[in-house]
Amino acid sequence: MVARRRLGRRFGWLWAAYAVSTFGTRLAFDAFALIAILVLHAGPAEVSVLAAAGLAVGAVVAVPLGPWVEFRRKRPVMVAMDLTRFVALMSVPAAYAVGLLGFVQLLVVSVVVGAADIAFNAAGGAYLKAIVRPEDLVVASGRFESTNWTATVLGPPLGTAAIGFFGPVLTVVTDAVSHLLSAAGIRAIGGHEPQPVRAGTKEVRLRFGGLFEGWRYILAHPALRPLFLNTVLVSGLIMATSPLLAVLMLGDLGFAPWQYGLAFGLPCVGGIIGSRLAPRLVARFGRHRVMLTAGTLRACWSLGPAFVRPGVAGLVLVIVVEFGLITCMGVFNPVFAAYRLDRTATDRVARTLSAWSVTSKATVAVMTGLWGLLAGITGPRVAIAVAGLLMLLTPFLLPRHDHTPHHERDLARSPT
């Protein structure tokens, strides 16, 4: 079977490292917000600043990291970013233990962790492309996607239970240790990684203009440009409406917290299903067709929550809508990730992924703020409906033509 391909020892260690750190992060889901509320007695404005500023400032800090990562061995960069996250996160329980924890420290740590996340993912994507054959990229990306959704299903409920028994600071310790274990797993890969070749003196010095090479490459690429615009807009619209739906369900409609958790936890199983189906669908129908179809279907669900009503029927509606959305995302994400890696030149991968991630995080922060203002004027239901209508336009940004050469298409669809 396609999904059961053996991808080698190096991929196995990389996957294990990703799994450990992802579960640790999901276990500590919303830990900083809970620490700010329960320990520092922060108000809604401060919690919102913590969430938005961490994303936005972390993305800005990460801008020079893309070119820096490009011309360095990727495994040491990944280990360094894991250790950076470990030290930054451990500073929170250390400060709490001596009574010195403050809001500013939480904000700084969230920025450092956000920037390290971007650098780690950029290096990880480049390393994945180096160790996995092009025809196996969808399978490899599907395994990462399945792991992500499995952690999303299990992590927050377990983390919430742990917070109830031990407090939110302990979940931050768990997250920190998961990055330490991830660094150990990446070190265990072993083997020699060649030093990336620098093409010329312009790439040796990280001049101001060179910081934007990732964006220039994306916007000049006929296949990556529409995907870039599509994925950034979709993620921004989804994340911008997330807090509004929480306000609508928990406030206006009176759903209990456990019902809200069920409405968004149970549908994550769809992500596992979708990511498991993705390699099989690609083997049968081809990568571009699957990506185009899943990307189009992904846009059809976000209008549904605007019509949610109180009671069981409303809860079922949210569960069905979220299940459909997440299942489509589970199919689309690994196919898109493989396509992006395959279409990006080897000496541009880190800068491209870094630019992509920086833009996505900054867009989420900006759109979350804008939709909060819109909801303040029109109410959360109208703001959610506006986002849902805009989502219906996003399929027009998907690449309409397959830019993969014919011989590569045949190779990607090979079941062996």
Side-chain angles (χ1 to χ4, degrees):
M1 296 291 288
V2 173
R4 295 183 181 178
R5 283 180 183 165
R6 295 180 61 84
L7 302 183
R9 174 184 173 277
R10 290 184 296 175
F11 174 80
W13 276 111
L14 182 65
W15 187 19
Y18 174 82
V20 169
S21 63
T22 301
F23 271 94
T25 300
R26 293 294 182 269
L27 196 69
F29 181 72
D30 274 351
F32 274 25
L34 291 173
I35 290 173
I37 295 168
L38 300 177
V39 177
L40 303 180
H41 309 292
E46 290 175 300
V47 175
S48 298
V49 167
L50 181 63
L55 279 176
V57 180
V60 172
V61 171
V63 169
L65 293 180
W68 178 80
V69 170
E70 194 74 76
F71 300 110
R72 281 161 177 79
R73 293 186 177 93
K74 304 306 182 287
R75 280 178 51 229
V77 170
M78 294 161 70
V79 171
M81 294 302 105
D82 266 334
L83 294 179
T84 298
R85 290 184 286 189
F86 169 74
V87 172
L89 289 168
M90 283 301 295
S91 72
V92 172
Y96 174 76
V98 296
L100 297 177
L101 182 63
F103 181 79
V104 173
Q105 181 180 352
L106 285 183
L107 187 59
V108 171
V109 171
S110 67
V111 168
V112 171
V113 170
D117 285 345
I118 292 174
F120 181 93
N121 291 333
Y127 187 68
L128 179 65
K129 181 171 182 175
I131 66 172
V132 173
R133 298 178 302 173
E135 61 269 29
D136 289 333
L137 282 174
V138 172
V139 176
S141 299
R143 291 177 185 176
F144 283 125
E145 186 74 8
S146 178
T147 300
N148 177 59
W149 287 113
T150 302
T152 303
V153 171
L154 299 177
L158 293 175
T160 302
I163 288 171
F165 283 108
F166 306 109
V169 174
L170 182 64
T171 61
V172 176
V173 175
T174 304
D175 189 13
V177 172
S178 75
H179 292 301
L180 186 63
L181 294 175
S182 172
I186 294 168
R187 286 278 297 172
I189 293 174
H192 175 69
E193 182 184 354
Q195 179 72 31
V197 177
R198 307 187 184 201
T201 56
K202 288 184 179 180
E203 292 179 325
V204 175
R205 299 188 299 272
L206 298 180
R207 301 184 305 176
F208 182 77
L211 298 179
F212 302 98
E213 178 61 29
W215 284 277
R216 282 197 292 266
Y217 183 82
I218 293 169
L219 296 177
H221 198 292
L224 296 182
R225 182 175 58 251
L227 270 179
F228 174 70
L229 297 174
N230 173 271
T231 55
V232 167
L233 182 57
V234 167
S235 64
L237 289 170
I238 291 174
M239 296 305 296
T241 56
S242 179
L244 306 184
L245 191 53
V247 170
L248 179 63
M249 292 183 66
L250 296 173
D252 298 352
L253 302 180
F255 284 99
W258 71 266
Q259 292 174 311
Y260 177 77
L262 179 67
F264 290 94
L266 186 60
C268 290
V269 175
I272 302 173
I273 296 171
S275 60
R276 297 287 293 175
L277 286 175
R280 295 174 172 85
L281 293 173
V282 168
R284 182 170 182 179
F285 299 107
R287 184 169 56 185
H288 183 262
R289 183 181 297 178
V290 172
M291 184 172 65
L292 187 61
T293 303
T296 300
L297 292 175
R298 180 187 53 163
C300 299
W301 302 93
S302 295
L303 190 59
F307 301 98
V308 65
R309 291 290 184 267
V312 174
L315 182 63
V316 171
L317 173 63
V318 175
I319 291 175
V320 170
V321 166
E322 292 297 318
F323 182 84
L325 172 64
I326 292 173
T327 302
C328 293
M329 290 172 62
V331 175
F332 176 86
N333 288 348
V335 181
F336 148 71
Y339 184 87
R340 180 175 59 179
L341 284 177
D342 195 34
R343 295 295 91 199
T344 304
T346 301
D347 63 345
R348 294 290 190 276
V349 172
R351 280 173 285 184
T352 298
L353 296 184
S354 178
W356 210 299
S357 186
V358 165
T359 306
S360 182
K361 289 180 181 294
T363 301
V364 167
V366 171
M367 293 185 71
T368 299
L370 290 176
W371 253 257
L373 292 175
L374 179 61
I377 298 171
T378 65
R381 193 183 295 276
V382 173
I384 291 169
V386 170
L389 291 172
L390 289 176
M391 277 284 284
L392 294 175
L393 301 177
T394 59
F396 293 102
L397 294 173
L398 290 168
R400 313 310 297 180
H401 304 289
D402 190 356
H403 295 270
T404 306
H406 289 288
H407 70 280
E408 291 186 22
R409 294 181 211 173
D410 295 338
L411 188 62
R413 294 182 62 173
S414 172
T416 60

